[in-house]
Amino acid sequence: MLMTPGPTAVPAPVRDAMSRELINPDVDPEFRRIYDRLTDRLETVYGVESRGTGEGAGSADAPGHDVVVPGGEGILGLEAAIASLVEPGTEVLCLSNGLYGDGFADFVESYGGEATLVSTAYDEPLPLAELESVLAAGDFEVATMVHCETPTGTLNDLGPALDLLAGADGEIVTVVDAVSSLGGVEVPTGQIDVCLGASQKCFSAPPGLATAAISERAWAAMEDRDPHSLYTNFLPWRDTSEGFPYTHLTTEVVALDAALGLWLEEGLDAVRERHRSAAARCRERGAELGLEPYPDPERSSPTVTAFEVPGRAEELQERLREERDVLVATGLGELAGDILRVGHMGHNARIERVDETMDALAAVLTE
């Protein structure tokens, strides 16, 4: 049983959709219809209204975001956001309390930008006091942060940070990695200029697609920078009415569309409540085994639980896989050997799947 925090288990209706006859995305109008339906569905998930490409698109006071779905695993979205907004000399503030927050600074520097990393320990909340101080002293064009730091199971409260950024300089373009929260947790997309997601997390589709909700301010900044890449560039996706930038990943698009159909049929509130309930059960069962979440429980994500198991993570992962046929994840980076992660996101956010996983973990810990 697959219980990792992405890729997640893919439900049967999505697998069935993937098995249908292949559609040519370049010449078959049916693919255009599916892609348009997919972006419409994602607008509901993101909680935004489309700006579209017609009247009103391109004006700074037009509401909403455009949703785009490039072909590529979720990391493509993170890099494309930076590649599309950053040029040599661009000042970027990277707010971080985790591995992926730190990683934004690496992307910025790889594209010639000047990254200012405002960071704290991975088990601490976002450093708002330091952020306020740095904002007062700097002149930033872009700011990045992460909603759910999957390696530590931390869900960050972005509201205060986004408020500080808006108050300091209304021109700062905000980029948020919501890959591991979008679809299972409410994301404040309306306050975010580029909000990034992916197919293989809370949507329970296969890996292969990045998603992004992009504001007019972000589009304008991208056009000012005129990115030179094609694949790591959001601009060619702004208007695909005359065709896609490259041959799209047909099967992955069909799969994500089917997955979102299930998500919308269940309903926004029901999906989020299912994630909250699964997370609560996972932590309740963990407490019975003497396990504690890595971050403060109040900051633990409804989509993934990271248990502290100092020095035992890889051993427990292997035993769960070999002895119980349950696959979970370890931590990443310096915490790889000390954290065991249970992914209760998407199709996996169900009490019965959590109970089966924790039963297996209990057996391994007591044998």
Side-chain angles (χ1 to χ4, degrees), residues 272-311:
R272 291 175 180 166
E273 179 56 35
R274 180 161 55 77
H275 280 76
R276 286 190 291 267
S277 297
R281 177 62 67 92
C282 187
R283 288 155 201 165
E284 177 185 350
R285 294 290 308 273
E288 293 171 356
L289 297 174
L291 300 174
E292 294 292 335
Y294 176 79
D296 186 296
E298 293 184 359
R299 292 187 292 105
S300 293
S301 175
T303 61
V304 54
T305 294
F307 289 117
E308 289 191 83
V309 289

Side-chain angles (χ1 to χ4, degrees), residues 293-327:
Y294 176 79
D296 186 296
E298 293 184 359
R299 292 187 292 105
S300 293
S301 175
T303 61
V304 54
T305 294
F307 289 117
E308 289 191 83
V309 289
R312 298 195 64 190
E314 293 173 351
E315 169 219 340
L316 292 172
Q317 180 194 46
E318 182 177 0
R319 290 187 60 195
L320 282 168
R321 184 182 69 248
E322 296 296 328
E323 299 173 19
R324 301 289 168 171
D325 196 28
V326 173
L327 184 61

Side-chain angles (χ1 to χ4, degrees), residues 75-86:
I75 286 292
L76 170 69
L78 275 63
E79 182 169 357
I82 300 305
S84 300
L85 290 166
V86 172

